[in-house]
């Protein structure tokens, strides 16, 4: 029955991944496909079929909007800083609809595969901590007692106090041809 609704999907693989998808009614599967396509936006027809083919357990969901809500809540539990960027969570789910199923398999962000961790990482993550660490390192360097005084060093990189004394003694005539 599902082969009529999703002709591009390999039904054998779907049943192997989720045996209970055989029992899904055509009406329920059609509603889920339409809801997922509405969530993903225009031009997502093949992506909808591919998502159901890769993760046929989504066919067992009650509806897509509730799945999106529970997935978003789970992502916020994994990474609370994302609560400041709810549109980013929605964008990640639209670009990677497989996350609707996959992210529920993990209880902490560290358990997630790197592809999920990378999707949930934002350039602003930890910005305040990085800035504070940077400031602390500069403070430590600024307060260091063993820093060198650049006046004591010559351009060639070694310290020769005698040469510095001669240079400081006054003007010198470079051409002593007389």
């Amino acid at each position: 029955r599902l082969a009529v609704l999703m002709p591009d999907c390999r039904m054998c693989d779907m049943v192997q991944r989720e045996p209970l998808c055989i029992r899904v009614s055509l009406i329920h599967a059609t509603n889920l496909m339409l809801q997922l396509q509405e969530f993903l936006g225009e031009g997502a027809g093949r992506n909808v079929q591919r998502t159901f083919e890769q993760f046929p357990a989504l066919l067992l969901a009650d509806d897509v909007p509730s799945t999106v809500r529970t997935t978003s809540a789970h992502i916020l539990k994994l990474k609370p800083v994302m609560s400041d960027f709810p549109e980013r969570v929605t964008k990640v789910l639209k670009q990677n609809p497989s996350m609707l199923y996959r992210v529920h398999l993990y209880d902490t962000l560290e358990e997630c595969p790197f592809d999920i961790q990378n999707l949930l990482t934002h350039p602003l993550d930890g910005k305040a901590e990085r800035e504070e660490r940077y400031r602390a390192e500069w403070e430590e360097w600024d307060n260091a007692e063993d820093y060198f005084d650049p006046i004591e060093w010559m351009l060639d990189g070694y310290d020769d106090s005698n040469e510095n004394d001669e240079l400081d003694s006054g003007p010198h005539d470079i051409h002593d041809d007389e």
Side-chain angles (χ1 to χ4, degrees):
R1 293 178 297 183
L2 289 176
V4 173
L5 186 61
M6 297 182 266
D8 294 336
C9 294
R10 295 183 305 251
M11 291 300 144
C12 294
D13 292 343
M14 288 178 66
V15 172
Q16 186 177 13
R17 289 183 186 124
E18 182 55 60
L20 294 177
C21 75
I22 290 177
R23 297 185 181 161
V24 173
S25 72
L26 275 176
I27 294 172
H28 182 70
T30 304
N31 286 335
L32 288 175
M33 287 184 69
L34 291 174
Q35 290 172 357
L36 186 60
Q37 187 162 0
E38 182 180 328
F39 173 69
L40 296 178
E42 287 185 35
R46 288 183 110 12
N47 203 12
V48 168
Q49 288 186 25
R50 191 174 315 120
T51 300
F52 282 118
E53 181 179 16
Q54 291 174 347
F55 303 98
L58 285 174
L59 290 169
L60 304 177
D62 291 333
D63 63 349
V64 173
S66 67
T67 305
V68 169
R69 283 192 300 275
T70 58
T71 303
S72 297
H74 190 71
I75 288 173
L76 294 178
K77 186 184 98 174
L78 290 175
K79 191 164 175 100
V81 74
M82 292 286 280
S83 61
D84 297 338
F85 307 100
E87 69 282 348
R88 174 129 173 90
V89 174
T90 305
K91 183 179 177 184
V92 166
L93 291 176
K94 284 183 178 185
Q95 291 175 345
N96 305 282
S98 65
M99 295 267 293
L100 292 170
Y101 176 76
R102 292 180 63 208
V103 78
H104 292 284
L105 300 173
Y106 308 100
D107 294 327
T108 63
L109 187 64
E110 291 77 28
E111 292 175 356
C112 294
F114 286 119
D115 64 325
I116 292 177
Q117 289 184 27
N118 289 340
L119 290 171
L120 298 180
T121 301
H122 192 272
L124 298 178
D125 288 353
K127 183 178 179 187
E129 292 85 14
R130 286 194 308 269
E131 287 176 352
E132 183 58 36
R133 191 172 59 241
Y134 181 77
R135 274 193 227 89
E137 287 177 13
W138 272 105
E139 278 295 317
E140 182 180 322
W141 181 82
D142 194 31
N143 295 333
E145 296 177 10
D146 60 343
Y147 70 93
F148 69 91
D149 186 5
I151 296 174
E152 296 175 3
W153 291 85
M154 299 297 293
L155 292 177
D156 57 2
Y158 68 92
D159 180 23
D160 189 356
S161 300
N162 295 337
E163 287 182 18
N164 285 340
D165 293 339
E166 290 176 9
L167 291 177
D168 292 338
S169 64
H172 298 284
D173 190 11
I174 297 176
H175 301 287
D176 289 338
D177 293 335
E178 295 176 30

